[in-house]
Amino acid sequence: MLTYLSGLKTATVTRCWVMNEDGDTVPIAYDDLKRKIGGADPFAVPDSAPKAPGSVIEKLYNASFIAGFQITLGIPPGLDPAAVPDVVVLGDNTSTVTYNMLCSKFRIIEMDYGAGPRPKLKWINMSQPSTGWVFQSKVDLRLTIVGDSAYSKLPEPVQKKIKELGADAFDVQQLLFNLNNAGLAQVPSISGLAPESAALTFLTKYFLNMYFSQIQAAGQPVLNYTIVKHDRSATLIPTDLNMQVQPFLDQAGKPYASPTREQADLSTLNYLCSCYGKSLPPATQFSWNWLSTEEANQIHGIVSINRNTFAAYLRDQLDSRISRNCLMPRAKITMKNAGFTKEYSVGVSPGGAAAFNIPATGPLVLSLHYENMVSDYAGLHHNEGEIHLKPSFDVTVTFQDDNIVITQHLWVYLHVRSLQTTLKGNIVDKILKDTYKLGVDGYGKVVVSMKSDEPINRPQDLSTNAFVNLFTGINDIVKTVRTLDFANTSFQSFPISVVQDFVFPGGRTFAFKQMGFSRYQDLVAAITYAEPTYK
């Protein structure tokens, strides 16, 4: 956040007030004020400037000018980097954070008309010191319309801006936008000023009571801070989002009552996301720490994708590819030559339907089983012959360590009888096993390597001796079935793209240092913030 703020270039916000004919203090557009005073810049008029004839002060006086300020969001230019306060402070409250707003520029001007029987006009023009002023506020992180969250009270268009669910939902810029939204924040307190100082009096009256309260009611961003989104597509698009603070826990799983600075720094800001239109459950404290002390020296955080969510993604990638191996069989026996001869005809075609199952627990995260059998018979009481053809197809997907293992098994059972001679068994029996290993390259991008085991081909030898075949022709029937070449053209490894095309949420915001599956098969990636971009 500090890195982003130090290079941030945002427009300066200017607000001014004048007195109307009824004696009320009302806002005036800066350009309108300048036109009233002949195009001069009131912020350039030095402190204590006199009301000389024809001066800018006289023109401001005639325009009933009251006060104004100019603010630019950023790091104060004279502040020692070591003295910059934490912009976001995570405490033990899971639903709020402390936000310290810093400004690279903060100038205030005021026309003090004095009081009493002989009031004396005084012009005030002051800036924050080079070390800046700090505006501290509590920000409600609960991005839910349930309960009494500040988010629930905002206008719907503002809610949509805050709960930005595009590919940049996790970047520093979006977080800064949310923290700067007055509708989520309490009225700030100001540090760096003496209690009776003129600056504190001014800021309390104009910045807090008039400006902040107005934009808070409307749910507008402080200092007009806005963001521009780019089309950057992640594979899993969040459809709901909430945020919470996770305090660092002790060995008993409880937050430290009085954490050290190192322990407090290990608290995490958590983005809770759901996909596919599913609703998020209420945010609750996790029973574990996301980062250890050792890990915090090397990485900035963790991205974790629920096993069932990632399994559903793989299911969608595989669904369109499995029907080619879900074979629909045909088998028929036709009596010819007045019943003296039989003709066996068989065939298969792709396109059978099957659905994946997602087990709730365990390394097996996807499984599919398909089978389809047809039969036909010949002769009175089936005495002439029969045929049964049953293709079957299994797919299993397991997550283990940093590997995705996909195993396919295709087998075709044939049962054929001619007169009293029967042959039966798996005429096709093939297994393919592919391992997709997850990793990251030197630029922190996800890469996948694929290793295929030697295919297993173990069909049963279905044949009889030549003498029996002379009378039954059963070997010829088996040969005909074999010529269908069930597996050679359609039974193939799934391409590496089914895994490698996956784009992590936040893939433009984070660099990935390592990834793998947890003992509960959730996909976990260690992340560092990529260099911030300014939009």
Side-chain angles (χ1 to χ4, degrees), residues 13-59:
V13 173
T14 303
R15 292 292 183 272
C16 296
W17 290 268
V18 296
M19 183 182 296
N20 65 13
E21 294 178 354
D22 297 325
D24 298 324
T25 300
V26 295
I28 183 173
Y30 182 48
D31 288 342
D32 292 343
L33 175 65
K34 290 175 69 175
R35 278 194 290 271
K36 282 179 173 286
I37 62 174
D41 180 7
F43 290 93
V45 179
D47 186 51
S48 301
K51 182 191 168 189
S55 66
V56 176
I57 296 296
E58 183 180 57
K59 294 175 182 178

Side-chain angles (χ1 to χ4, degrees), residues 73-89:
L73 193 65
I75 302 295
L79 189 59
D80 186 336
V84 176
D86 290 334
V87 178
V88 183
V89 180

Side-chain angles (χ1 to χ4, degrees), residues 74-139:
I75 302 295
L79 189 59
D80 186 336
V84 176
D86 290 334
V87 178
V88 183
V89 180
L90 310 180
D92 56 3
N93 188 325
T94 60
S95 63
T96 64
V97 296
T98 299
Y99 171 50
N100 292 316
M101 189 183 78
L102 302 170
C103 299
S104 61
K105 174 183 179 180
F106 204 127
R107 179 174 291 276
I108 58 180
I109 54 176
E110 183 180 19
M111 186 78 79
D112 185 351
Y113 290 89
R118 300 182 65 181
K120 184 178 180 180
L121 189 70
K122 182 180 180 181
W123 174 252
I124 299 170
N125 186 333
M126 70 173 73
S127 291
Q128 68 176 6
S130 61
T131 53
W133 295 322
V134 179
F135 298 81
Q136 186 175 92
S137 181
K138 292 287 187 182
V139 179

Side-chain angles (χ1 to χ4, degrees), residues 37 51 167 186 234 267 288 361 367 506 526:
I37 62 174
K51 182 191 168 189
Q186 298 175 6
S267 297
W288 61 85
T361 59
S367 64

